[in-house]
Amino acid sequence: MAGVASKVAVIGSGISGAVCASILAKNGVSVTIFETARGPGGRMSQRREHSEDGRELLFDHGAPYFTVNASNFEVRSLVTEWESRGLVAEWKEKFGSFDFSSKKFINVEEEGSNKRYVGVPGMNSICRALCNEPGVESRFGIGIGRLHWSEDDDIWSLTSLDGEGVGQFKGVVASDKNTFSSRFTSVTGKPPPIDLISVSDMALQINEIPASPCFALMLAFEQPLSSIPKKGFNFKNSEILSWAYCDSSKPGRLTISERWVLHSTADYANLIISQTGFQKPSNAVLTKVAEELFQEFQNTGLDIPQPFFKKAHRWGSAFPAASVASEEKCLWFGTKRLAICGDFCTRPNVEGAICSGIAAAANFVKVLSTL
Protein backbone atom coordinates (compact mmCIF):
# COMPACT_ATOMS: atom_id res chain seq x y z
CA MET A 1 0.00 0.00 0.00
CA ALA A 2 1.28 3.43 -0.84
CA GLY A 3 0.14 7.02 -0.56
CA VAL A 4 -3.56 7.53 0.01
CA ALA A 5 -4.20 3.82 -0.46
CA SER A 6 -2.96 3.22 3.08
CA LYS A 7 -4.75 6.16 4.73
CA VAL A 8 -7.78 5.71 6.96
CA ALA A 9 -9.63 8.42 8.89
CA VAL A 10 -11.06 7.53 12.29
CA ILE A 11 -13.73 9.92 13.54
CA GLY A 12 -13.91 9.90 17.33
CA SER A 13 -11.26 9.06 19.92
CA GLY A 14 -13.36 7.03 22.32
CA ILE A 15 -12.23 3.52 23.14
CA SER A 16 -13.69 1.90 20.00
CA GLY A 17 -12.04 4.41 17.66
CA ALA A 18 -8.76 4.38 19.58
CA VAL A 19 -8.56 0.58 19.58
CA CYS A 20 -9.38 0.44 15.88
CA ALA A 21 -6.72 3.08 15.06
CA SER A 22 -4.08 1.28 17.12
CA ILE A 23 -4.69 -2.08 15.42
CA LEU A 24 -4.67 -0.49 11.96
CA ALA A 25 -1.39 1.29 12.65
CA LYS A 26 0.21 -1.95 13.85
CA ASN A 27 -0.80 -3.46 10.51
CA GLY A 28 0.92 -0.75 8.49
CA VAL A 29 -2.07 1.51 7.87
CA SER A 30 -1.60 5.28 8.20
CA VAL A 31 -4.35 6.53 10.52
CA THR A 32 -5.61 10.03 11.28
CA ILE A 33 -8.00 10.46 14.20
CA PHE A 34 -10.34 13.47 14.19
CA GLU A 35 -11.84 14.45 17.53
CA THR A 36 -14.08 17.44 18.28
CA ALA A 37 -13.02 17.52 21.93
CA ARG A 38 -9.68 18.77 23.25
CA GLY A 39 -8.56 15.29 24.23
CA PRO A 40 -9.34 11.59 23.79
CA GLY A 41 -11.64 9.29 25.68
CA GLY A 42 -15.27 9.99 24.83
CA ARG A 43 -17.26 8.56 27.71
CA MET A 44 -13.94 7.44 29.19
CA SER A 45 -12.63 10.99 29.31
CA GLN A 46 -11.33 12.55 32.53
CA ARG A 47 -12.72 15.90 33.64
CA ARG A 48 -10.34 18.54 35.01
CA GLU A 49 -11.95 21.05 37.37
CA HIS A 50 -10.79 23.62 39.92
CA SER A 51 -12.32 24.48 43.27
CA GLU A 52 -12.92 28.08 44.34
CA ASP A 53 -9.62 28.10 46.22
CA GLY A 54 -7.73 26.92 43.12
CA ARG A 55 -7.29 23.22 43.90
CA GLU A 56 -7.15 21.00 40.81
CA LEU A 57 -9.68 18.15 40.82
CA LEU A 58 -9.85 15.23 38.39
CA PHE A 59 -12.98 13.13 37.81
CA ASP A 60 -13.83 10.09 35.70
CA HIS A 61 -17.32 11.42 35.15
CA GLY A 62 -18.42 8.96 32.47
CA ALA A 63 -17.64 5.25 32.58
CA PRO A 64 -16.35 4.56 36.12
CA TYR A 65 -14.72 1.22 35.25
CA PHE A 66 -15.02 -1.72 32.86
CA THR A 67 -15.14 -5.49 33.07
CA VAL A 68 -14.15 -8.24 30.62
CA ASN A 69 -15.98 -11.51 30.13
CA ALA A 70 -13.74 -14.50 30.82
CA SER A 71 -14.53 -16.00 27.39
CA ASN A 72 -13.64 -12.83 25.47
CA PHE A 73 -10.05 -13.73 24.67
CA GLU A 74 -9.39 -10.88 22.22
CA VAL A 75 -10.32 -8.19 24.72
CA ARG A 76 -8.66 -9.99 27.63
CA SER A 77 -5.43 -10.12 25.61
CA LEU A 78 -5.57 -6.37 25.00
CA VAL A 79 -6.31 -5.61 28.65
CA THR A 80 -3.42 -7.82 29.76
CA GLU A 81 -1.13 -5.83 27.46
CA TRP A 82 -2.45 -2.52 28.82
CA GLU A 83 -1.98 -3.77 32.38
CA SER A 84 1.65 -4.67 31.64
CA ARG A 85 2.17 -1.12 30.31
CA GLY A 86 0.68 0.40 33.46
CA LEU A 87 -2.31 1.82 31.59
CA VAL A 88 -4.93 -0.10 33.59
CA ALA A 89 -5.21 -1.61 37.05
CA GLU A 90 -7.80 -3.62 38.93
CA TRP A 91 -10.14 -1.64 41.18
CA LYS A 92 -10.45 -3.98 44.15
CA GLU A 93 -12.99 -2.11 46.29
CA LYS A 94 -16.26 -3.84 47.23
CA PHE A 95 -19.49 -2.66 45.58
CA GLY A 96 -23.11 -2.98 46.62
CA SER A 97 -26.65 -1.64 46.27
CA PHE A 98 -28.55 0.89 48.35
CA ASP A 99 -32.32 0.58 48.74
CA PHE A 100 -34.08 3.91 49.23
CA SER A 101 -37.16 2.17 50.61
CA SER A 102 -35.37 0.53 53.53
CA LYS A 103 -32.47 3.04 53.69
CA LYS A 104 -30.08 0.09 53.81
CA PHE A 105 -27.33 -1.47 51.74
CA ILE A 106 -28.37 -4.79 50.17
CA ASN A 107 -27.08 -7.44 47.76
CA VAL A 108 -23.64 -8.42 48.98
CA GLU A 109 -21.32 -8.75 46.01
CA GLU A 110 -20.83 -12.29 44.76
CA GLU A 111 -17.40 -13.88 44.98
CA GLY A 112 -15.75 -14.59 41.65
CA SER A 113 -17.47 -11.76 39.78
CA ASN A 114 -15.57 -10.17 36.91
CA LYS A 115 -12.69 -7.92 37.85
CA ARG A 116 -13.24 -4.18 37.55
CA TYR A 117 -10.55 -2.36 35.60
CA VAL A 118 -9.80 1.36 35.51
CA GLY A 119 -7.41 3.45 33.47
CA VAL A 120 -4.38 4.80 35.34
CA PRO A 121 -4.09 7.61 36.30
CA GLY A 122 -7.45 8.32 34.60
CA MET A 123 -9.97 6.39 32.53
CA ASN A 124 -8.76 8.29 29.45
CA SER A 125 -5.19 6.96 29.87
CA ILE A 126 -5.88 3.98 27.60
CA CYS A 127 -7.27 6.10 24.76
CA ARG A 128 -4.52 8.68 25.18
CA ALA A 129 -1.81 6.03 24.82
CA LEU A 130 -3.48 4.40 21.80
CA CYS A 131 -3.93 7.76 20.07
CA ASN A 132 -0.21 8.45 20.40
CA GLU A 133 1.13 5.18 19.05
CA PRO A 134 3.43 5.11 15.97
CA GLY A 135 1.40 5.40 12.76
CA VAL A 136 -1.46 7.30 14.42
CA GLU A 137 -1.89 11.05 13.96
CA SER A 138 -4.42 12.60 16.33
CA ARG A 139 -6.07 15.92 15.49
CA PHE A 140 -8.01 17.19 18.47
CA GLY A 141 -10.39 20.14 18.39
CA ILE A 142 -11.42 19.35 14.81
CA GLY A 143 -15.01 18.34 14.21
CA ILE A 144 -15.95 16.80 10.87
CA GLY A 145 -18.76 18.63 9.11
CA ARG A 146 -18.94 16.62 5.90
CA LEU A 147 -17.72 13.36 4.41
CA HIS A 148 -17.97 12.99 0.65
CA TRP A 149 -17.51 9.72 -1.24
CA SER A 150 -16.28 10.02 -4.84
CA GLU A 151 -17.20 7.06 -7.00
CA ASP A 152 -14.86 8.25 -9.75
CA ASP A 153 -11.84 8.61 -7.50
CA ASP A 154 -12.78 5.76 -5.15
CA ILE A 155 -11.93 7.97 -2.18
CA TRP A 156 -13.34 9.85 0.81
CA SER A 157 -12.87 13.61 1.20
CA LEU A 158 -13.33 15.11 4.67
CA THR A 159 -14.28 18.69 5.50
CA SER A 160 -14.16 20.23 8.97
CA LEU A 161 -17.05 22.03 10.66
CA ASP A 162 -15.31 25.27 9.60
CA GLY A 163 -15.52 24.24 5.94
CA GLU A 164 -11.82 23.46 5.58
CA GLY A 165 -10.71 20.38 3.68
CA VAL A 166 -8.78 18.13 6.08
CA GLY A 167 -7.72 15.31 3.77
CA GLN A 168 -8.56 12.44 1.46
CA PHE A 169 -8.70 8.87 2.70
CA LYS A 170 -9.14 5.40 1.32
CA GLY A 171 -11.43 4.48 4.18
CA VAL A 172 -13.37 5.97 7.09
CA VAL A 173 -14.17 4.63 10.54
CA ALA A 174 -17.08 6.42 12.23
CA SER A 175 -16.90 5.69 15.96
CA ASP A 176 -18.77 8.85 16.98
CA LYS A 177 -22.56 8.54 16.71
CA ASN A 178 -22.80 12.24 15.85
CA THR A 179 -21.20 11.43 12.49
CA PHE A 180 -24.44 9.91 11.26
CA SER A 181 -27.08 10.50 13.93
CA SER A 182 -29.97 12.95 13.78
CA ARG A 183 -28.87 14.09 17.27
CA PHE A 184 -26.08 15.98 15.47
CA THR A 185 -28.76 18.06 13.73
CA SER A 186 -30.59 18.80 16.98
CA VAL A 187 -27.41 20.11 18.60
CA THR A 188 -25.67 21.92 15.71
CA GLY A 189 -28.56 22.74 13.40
CA LYS A 190 -26.62 21.08 10.56
CA PRO A 191 -27.17 17.69 8.90
CA PRO A 192 -24.91 14.83 10.05
CA PRO A 193 -21.57 14.62 8.20
CA ILE A 194 -22.43 11.29 6.54
CA ASP A 195 -25.62 10.92 4.52
CA LEU A 196 -26.21 7.24 5.22
CA ILE A 197 -29.08 7.04 2.76
CA SER A 198 -26.47 7.26 0.00
CA VAL A 199 -24.52 4.44 1.64
CA SER A 200 -27.05 1.85 2.72
CA ASP A 201 -30.73 1.01 3.00
CA MET A 202 -30.04 0.51 6.71
CA ALA A 203 -29.80 4.29 7.08
CA LEU A 204 -32.98 4.81 9.10
CA GLN A 205 -32.22 1.95 11.48
CA ILE A 206 -28.71 3.27 12.15
CA ASN A 207 -29.68 6.93 12.33
CA GLU A 208 -32.28 6.39 15.04
CA ILE A 209 -30.19 4.42 17.54
CA PRO A 210 -31.95 5.02 20.88
CA ALA A 211 -29.77 6.41 23.63
CA SER A 212 -30.24 7.08 27.33
CA PRO A 213 -29.18 10.50 28.63
CA CYS A 214 -27.58 10.92 32.04
CA PHE A 215 -26.44 13.71 34.32
CA ALA A 216 -23.21 13.21 36.26
CA LEU A 217 -22.55 15.09 39.50
CA MET A 218 -18.93 15.62 40.56
CA LEU A 219 -18.36 16.13 44.29
CA ALA A 220 -15.24 16.76 46.38
CA PHE A 221 -15.14 16.52 50.19
CA GLU A 222 -12.51 17.60 52.67
CA GLN A 223 -12.81 14.37 54.67
CA PRO A 224 -13.65 10.75 53.75
CA LEU A 225 -17.34 9.84 53.87
CA SER A 226 -16.89 7.35 56.69
CA SER A 227 -20.63 6.68 56.93
CA ILE A 228 -20.61 4.95 53.53
CA PRO A 229 -19.34 1.35 53.72
CA LYS A 230 -19.04 0.86 49.93
CA LYS A 231 -16.89 2.71 47.40
CA GLY A 232 -19.37 2.06 44.61
CA PHE A 233 -23.07 1.21 44.59
CA ASN A 234 -26.25 1.44 42.56
CA PHE A 235 -29.54 2.75 43.88
CA LYS A 236 -32.79 0.87 44.15
CA ASN A 237 -36.13 2.69 44.29
CA SER A 238 -34.80 6.14 43.47
CA GLU A 239 -36.28 8.14 40.61
CA ILE A 240 -33.28 10.46 40.56
CA LEU A 241 -30.04 8.56 41.24
CA SER A 242 -28.77 5.37 39.60
CA TRP A 243 -25.10 5.13 40.66
CA ALA A 244 -22.54 6.52 43.10
CA TYR A 245 -18.82 5.77 43.28
CA CYS A 246 -15.80 7.12 45.10
CA ASP A 247 -13.55 8.20 42.25
CA SER A 248 -10.55 8.90 44.50
CA SER A 249 -10.55 5.29 45.76
CA LYS A 250 -9.34 4.01 42.39
CA PRO A 251 -5.68 2.97 42.02
CA GLY A 252 -3.33 5.71 40.89
CA ARG A 253 -5.55 8.60 42.05
CA LEU A 254 -4.58 11.50 44.28
CA THR A 255 -6.20 11.22 47.70
CA ILE A 256 -5.74 14.76 49.04
CA SER A 257 -9.55 15.02 48.91
CA GLU A 258 -12.35 12.47 48.61
CA ARG A 259 -14.07 12.72 45.25
CA TRP A 260 -17.39 11.11 44.36
CA VAL A 261 -19.35 10.93 41.11
CA LEU A 262 -23.12 10.37 41.03
CA HIS A 263 -25.10 9.36 37.94
CA SER A 264 -28.75 10.21 37.48
CA THR A 265 -31.42 7.88 36.20
CA ALA A 266 -32.35 8.13 32.52
CA ASP A 267 -35.91 9.09 33.52
CA TYR A 268 -34.65 12.08 35.50
CA ALA A 269 -32.35 13.19 32.66
CA ASN A 270 -35.17 12.86 30.11
CA LEU A 271 -37.42 14.97 32.34
CA ILE A 272 -34.86 17.79 32.49
CA ILE A 273 -34.27 17.60 28.71
CA SER A 274 -38.02 17.72 28.06
CA GLN A 275 -38.13 20.96 30.05
CA THR A 276 -35.00 22.63 28.70
CA GLY A 277 -34.36 21.10 25.25
CA PHE A 278 -31.46 19.08 23.90
CA GLN A 279 -29.14 22.00 23.34
CA LYS A 280 -26.18 22.47 25.66
CA PRO A 281 -27.63 23.08 29.16
CA SER A 282 -27.15 26.50 30.72
CA ASN A 283 -25.23 27.04 33.94
CA ALA A 284 -28.52 27.69 35.70
CA VAL A 285 -29.90 24.31 34.59
CA LEU A 286 -26.72 22.51 35.64
CA THR A 287 -26.78 24.25 39.03
CA LYS A 288 -30.39 23.15 39.56
CA VAL A 289 -29.53 19.58 38.57
CA ALA A 290 -26.50 19.55 40.89
CA GLU A 291 -28.66 20.62 43.83
CA GLU A 292 -31.34 18.02 43.11
CA LEU A 293 -28.90 15.15 42.68
CA PHE A 294 -27.01 16.08 45.83
CA GLN A 295 -30.24 16.44 47.81
CA GLU A 296 -31.19 12.91 46.80
CA PHE A 297 -27.73 11.73 47.90
CA GLN A 298 -28.32 13.29 51.31
CA ASN A 299 -31.79 11.72 51.42
CA THR A 300 -30.07 8.35 51.88
CA GLY A 301 -29.61 9.34 55.51
CA LEU A 302 -25.92 8.44 55.31
CA ASP A 303 -24.67 11.58 57.07
CA ILE A 304 -23.19 13.28 54.00
CA PRO A 305 -21.67 16.73 54.66
CA GLN A 306 -21.58 19.64 52.23
CA PRO A 307 -18.81 19.26 49.63
CA PHE A 308 -16.33 22.01 48.84
CA PHE A 309 -16.86 21.34 45.13
CA LYS A 310 -20.09 20.44 43.32
CA LYS A 311 -20.73 20.50 39.57
CA ALA A 312 -23.05 18.69 37.14
CA HIS A 313 -22.37 17.55 33.58
CA ARG A 314 -24.82 16.19 31.02
CA TRP A 315 -24.18 13.14 28.87
CA GLY A 316 -26.79 13.70 26.20
CA SER A 317 -26.66 10.48 24.21
CA ALA A 318 -23.61 8.60 25.42
CA PHE A 319 -25.38 5.51 26.73
CA PRO A 320 -26.93 3.44 23.89
CA ALA A 321 -30.15 1.58 24.61
CA ALA A 322 -30.01 -0.87 21.68
CA SER A 323 -27.56 -2.81 19.52
CA VAL A 324 -27.49 -2.58 15.71
CA ALA A 325 -24.81 -5.16 14.87
CA SER A 326 -24.49 -7.60 17.74
CA GLU A 327 -23.19 -10.57 15.73
CA GLU A 328 -20.96 -8.67 13.30
CA LYS A 329 -19.84 -6.31 16.11
CA CYS A 330 -19.59 -3.38 13.67
CA LEU A 331 -21.33 -2.16 10.52
CA TRP A 332 -19.21 -2.63 7.42
CA PHE A 333 -19.95 -1.14 4.00
CA GLY A 334 -17.24 -2.76 1.93
CA THR A 335 -17.85 -1.08 -1.42
CA LYS A 336 -17.17 2.31 0.13
CA ARG A 337 -14.74 1.12 2.83
CA LEU A 338 -16.81 2.62 5.63
CA ALA A 339 -16.97 1.08 9.10
CA ILE A 340 -19.29 2.18 11.89
CA CYS A 341 -18.23 0.96 15.31
CA GLY A 342 -18.98 1.62 18.96
CA ASP A 343 -20.80 0.16 21.93
CA PHE A 344 -24.09 0.85 20.13
CA CYS A 345 -23.11 -1.93 17.71
CA THR A 346 -22.61 -4.59 20.36
CA ARG A 347 -23.17 -4.06 24.09
CA PRO A 348 -23.59 -0.71 25.90
CA ASN A 349 -20.32 -0.87 27.82
CA VAL A 350 -16.58 -0.44 27.39
CA GLU A 351 -16.00 -4.11 26.59
CA GLY A 352 -18.58 -3.91 23.81
CA ALA A 353 -16.92 -0.81 22.37
CA ILE A 354 -13.52 -2.52 22.36
CA CYS A 355 -14.98 -5.56 20.56
CA SER A 356 -16.51 -3.28 17.94
CA GLY A 357 -13.22 -1.43 17.35
CA ILE A 358 -11.40 -4.74 16.89
CA ALA A 359 -14.00 -5.90 14.34
CA ALA A 360 -13.82 -2.65 12.37
CA ALA A 361 -10.04 -2.88 12.16
CA ALA A 362 -10.21 -6.49 10.99
CA ASN A 363 -12.43 -5.52 8.05
CA PHE A 364 -10.02 -2.78 6.97
CA VAL A 365 -6.90 -4.93 7.31
CA LYS A 366 -8.49 -7.53 5.09
CA VAL A 367 -9.65 -5.19 2.31
CA LEU A 368 -6.65 -2.83 2.31
CA SER A 369 -4.22 -5.71 1.99
CA THR A 370 -5.66 -6.42 -1.48
CA LEU A 371 -5.20 -2.87 -2.82
Side-chain angles (χ1 to χ4, degrees), residues 311-325:
K311 187 173 183 179
H313 170 83
R314 190 190 72 186
W315 294 101
S317 57
F319 299 88
S323 168
V324 297

Side-chain angles (χ1 to χ4, degrees), residues 21-341:
S22 173
I23 295 173
L24 289 176
K26 289 177 180 176
N27 281 273
V29 179
S30 176
V31 182
T32 303
I33 295 176
F34 294 96
E35 171 58 61
T36 306
R38 293 173 293 178
R43 202 167 74 239
M44 291 176 70
S45 61
Q46 187 179 60
R47 185 95 173 184
R48 187 184 304 273
E49 297 286 351
H50 289 87
S51 62
E52 289 185 358
D53 59 4
R55 279 180 281 182
E56 183 179 79
L57 303 167
L58 299 175
F59 296 92
D60 294 331
H61 63 317
Y65 64 87
F66 67 97
T67 60
V68 181
N69 192 291
S71 63
N72 197 336
F73 299 110
E74 280 188 311
V75 177
R76 289 188 69 84
S77 177
L78 274 181
V79 173
T80 299
E81 177 197 338
W82 297 340
E83 200 168 12
S84 70
R85 296 169 60 183
L87 299 176
V88 304
E90 183 184 354
W91 190 12
K92 298 182 179 180
E93 297 288 350
K94 295 294 184 181
F95 277 43
S97 296
F98 183 86
D99 182 22
F100 257 91
S101 298
S102 63
K103 303 295 185 186
K104 293 180 180 179
F105 282 95
I106 57 175
N107 297 342
V108 177
E109 193 171 37
E110 295 181 6
E111 291 294 329
S113 57
N114 287 336
K115 294 179 179 179
R116 296 184 181 87
Y117 292 100
V118 298
V120 178
M123 285 298 287
N124 65 347
S125 300
I126 307 165
C127 296
R128 188 176 300 280
L130 299 180
C131 289
N132 283 287
E133 290 188 337
V136 179
E137 177 190 4
S138 296
R139 303 185 65 182
F140 298 110
I142 297 180
I144 299 301
R146 184 169 182 264
L147 295 97
H148 175 71
W149 168 257
S150 172
E151 294 282 358
D152 294 337
D153 298 324
D154 191 36
I155 210 164
W156 287 95
S157 298
L158 274 63
T159 305
S160 72
L161 285 169
D162 297 331
E164 177 185 353
V166 293
Q168 293 183 319
F169 300 86
K170 205 63 177 177
V172 170
V173 179
S175 67
D176 182 347
K177 291 189 294 295
N178 286 331
T179 308
F180 51 84
S181 172
S182 58
R183 284 286 173 89
F184 183 88
T185 302
S186 66
V187 174
T188 66
K190 300 177 181 179
I194 298 179
D195 177 13
L196 283 180
I197 294 177
S198 66
V199 176
S200 168
D201 56 7
M202 295 176 63
L204 292 178
Q205 173 193 348
I206 302 167
N207 185 49
E208 298 301 331
I209 298 171
S212 299
C214 171
F215 282 95
L217 177 61
M218 298 166 280
L219 301 169
F221 299 89
E222 295 287 4
Q223 301 295 329
L225 302 188
S226 56
S227 65
I228 301 181
K230 305 290 184 180
K231 296 301 184 183
F233 53 95
N234 62 356
F235 291 96
K236 305 293 185 183
N237 300 312
S238 172
E239 296 180 356
I240 296 176
L241 288 178
S242 63
W243 264 100
Y245 52 93
C246 180
D247 206 42
S248 54
S249 71
K250 297 176 182 177
R253 270 57 174 183
L254 294 175
T255 56
I256 53 175
S257 64
E258 182 153 297
R259 298 178 303 284
W260 284 75
V261 176
L262 314 182
H263 281 181
S264 77
T265 62
D267 286 344
Y268 173 82
N270 278 318
L271 175 63
I272 298 299
I273 291 172
S274 70
Q275 296 170 347
T276 62
F278 200 80
Q279 68 275 10
K280 183 178 179 180
S282 66
N283 289 336
V285 168
L286 290 177
T287 298
K288 173 179 179 290
V289 167
E291 292 298 333
E292 291 179 350
L293 294 183
F294 183 68
Q295 182 60 57
E296 185 77 344
F297 196 31
Q298 286 192 313
N299 287 344
T300 58
L302 292 170
D303 188 24
I304 298 166
Q306 285 293 324
F308 69 84
F309 178 85
K310 178 171 56 182
K311 187 173 183 179
H313 170 83
R314 190 190 72 186
W315 294 101
S317 57
F319 299 88
S323 168
V324 297
S326 55
E327 291 186 10
E328 297 81 6
K329 300 178 183 176
C330 76
L331 296 172
W332 173 246
F333 309 100
T335 58
K336 290 182 171 63
R337 293 181 297 279
L338 169 67
I340 294 177
C341 66

